[in-house]
Amino acid sequence: MNTPMVQPQKLFSANVDYLRKGYCVVDMPATPRDVLESFDNMPRDGHSLGRLRQIRLSQYIGFWDESEWVFAVLPQRKYIQSARYIKLEEAGGIPRHREPLEVDPSPLIARVLDNLPIEQHDMVQVNVNQIRVTANAQYRGVTVPEGPHRDGHEYSVIAVVRRENVIGGETQVIDPLTNQVVHRQVLEENQAIIIDDHRYIHYATDIEPATGELGYRDIWVIEINRWENRAYGRAHEREAMENSCL
């Protein structure tokens, strides 16, 4: 007797805008006070001293456990993005040190995954970057030093936590075949955009103080891959380093 094949089922009916367009804007959970305060205690990005950027990073494995997403922190490793995607000399193919997060981003990751066409049996690997970009009299508020780019993942997410006395920071989704901006928006606090990183490139304009001489923008950059496509571990690092030599 043949056992019928069980077809994998989607966790949720995914975000309609994402399924139709390859990107969508979603509301994120309200940011707890301890998470807001953690942005005030981040080390400066030692690989980007030409701008005033503070950053932390933790990496996770995640899976669906009957009724909820479960995430476990992976051992801390150097953060490496392939020069195939990141052309900035200080970043592409360069192993970069990142201090880990001091807060739990699980509700943020879960909200993003709830909007994606992820199947129940899929395990995911997630990078969560916590970033503050500051603009003042000494430093330009360069939000995306790489320029328009892909991150080299399946899904890229930019989530805004706080905009303190700034203008600018417009997020743009760009068709790489035509260079046409298909979506542009200044994301407000507790809004995020989820982007099909295979289909589009993305960018965000610089920020500057709205008044006076100081402003900053706090964001999460969340990068998601199915576990078999993970951007983590020796194989990923070796490939990223090899691409930097091409």
Side-chain angles (χ1 to χ4, degrees):
M1 180 177 177
N2 293 328
T3 302
M5 292 182 63
V6 177
Q7 296 297 321
Q9 296 180 346
K10 295 292 193 302
L11 279 176
F12 305 100
S13 55
N15 187 289
V16 173
D17 281 345
Y18 184 87
L19 293 175
R20 182 166 57 90
K21 298 186 296 186
Y23 62 87
C24 63
V25 176
V26 300
D27 293 329
M28 299 297 276
T31 306
R33 180 177 296 276
D34 66 319
V35 175
L36 285 172
E37 291 175 348
S38 72
F39 279 87
D40 297 326
N41 184 39
M42 294 202 297
R44 186 170 178 186
D45 184 353
H47 298 273
S48 188
L49 296 177
R51 53 197 63 87
L52 186 51
R53 184 168 85 154
Q54 296 160 274
I55 192 165
R56 290 184 182 272
L57 164 75
S58 288
Q59 298 175 289
Y60 301 84
I61 183 173
F63 64 95
W64 180 254
D65 186 23
E66 295 189 355
S67 62
E68 64 180 348
W69 287 103
V70 175
F71 303 102
V73 182
L74 293 165
Q76 198 80 357
R77 301 183 70 88
K78 299 289 187 181
Y79 181 61
I80 305 180
Q81 292 176 285
S82 173
R84 176 186 300 173
Y85 307 111
I86 306 299
K87 305 303 182 184
L88 188 66
E89 184 177 356
E90 69 194 41
I94 304 297
R96 289 176 283 172
H97 174 74
R98 297 284 187 258
E99 292 292 326
L101 303 183
E102 296 182 327
V103 293
D104 179 11
S106 294
L108 304 172
I109 309 172
R111 177 63 59 86
V112 171
L113 292 174
D114 288 349
N115 283 273
L116 289 175
I118 301 293
E119 296 175 349
Q120 286 184 336
H121 68 279
D122 286 333
M123 291 195 302
V124 293
Q125 185 264 314
V126 184
N127 297 330
V128 181
N129 300 268
Q130 182 183 22
I131 302 171
R132 169 173 288 180
V133 176
T134 298
N136 59 22
Q138 185 177 359
Y139 291 98
R140 288 178 54 214
V142 179
T143 303
V144 183
E146 304 94 328
H149 68 285
R150 277 191 62 205
D151 287 322
H153 302 286
E154 292 186 58
Y155 309 107
S156 290
V157 183
I158 301 96
V160 173
V161 177
R162 182 164 46 192
R163 292 174 55 88
E164 185 65 32
N165 189 41
V166 294
I167 56 175
E170 177 188 82
T171 299
Q172 300 176 356
V173 180
I174 304 167
D175 184 335
L177 299 178
T178 63
N179 287 323
Q180 178 184 0
V181 177
V182 299
H183 182 80
R184 57 185 353 129
Q185 180 174 351
V186 176
L187 296 171
E188 299 299 333
E189 295 178 357
N190 295 321
Q191 276 189 321
I193 189 165
I194 304 172
I195 303 169
D196 180 342
D197 195 51
H198 289 303
R199 181 173 172 180
Y200 296 109
I201 58 179
H202 59 273
Y203 179 65
T205 61
D206 294 351
I207 59 171
E208 59 183 75
T211 60
E213 295 186 348
L214 175 67
Y216 58 85
R217 180 172 178 255
D218 291 343
I219 64 171
W220 301 103
V221 174
I222 304 172
E223 302 155 339
I224 300 173
N225 299 283
R226 291 170 178 84
W227 182 252
E228 60 268 25
N229 301 324
R230 59 191 175 275
Y232 176 85
R234 293 183 178 89
H236 163 71
E237 293 163 4
R238 183 168 58 251
E239 181 182 3
M241 293 293 289
E242 288 171 353
N243 286 328
S244 70
C245 299
L246 296 179

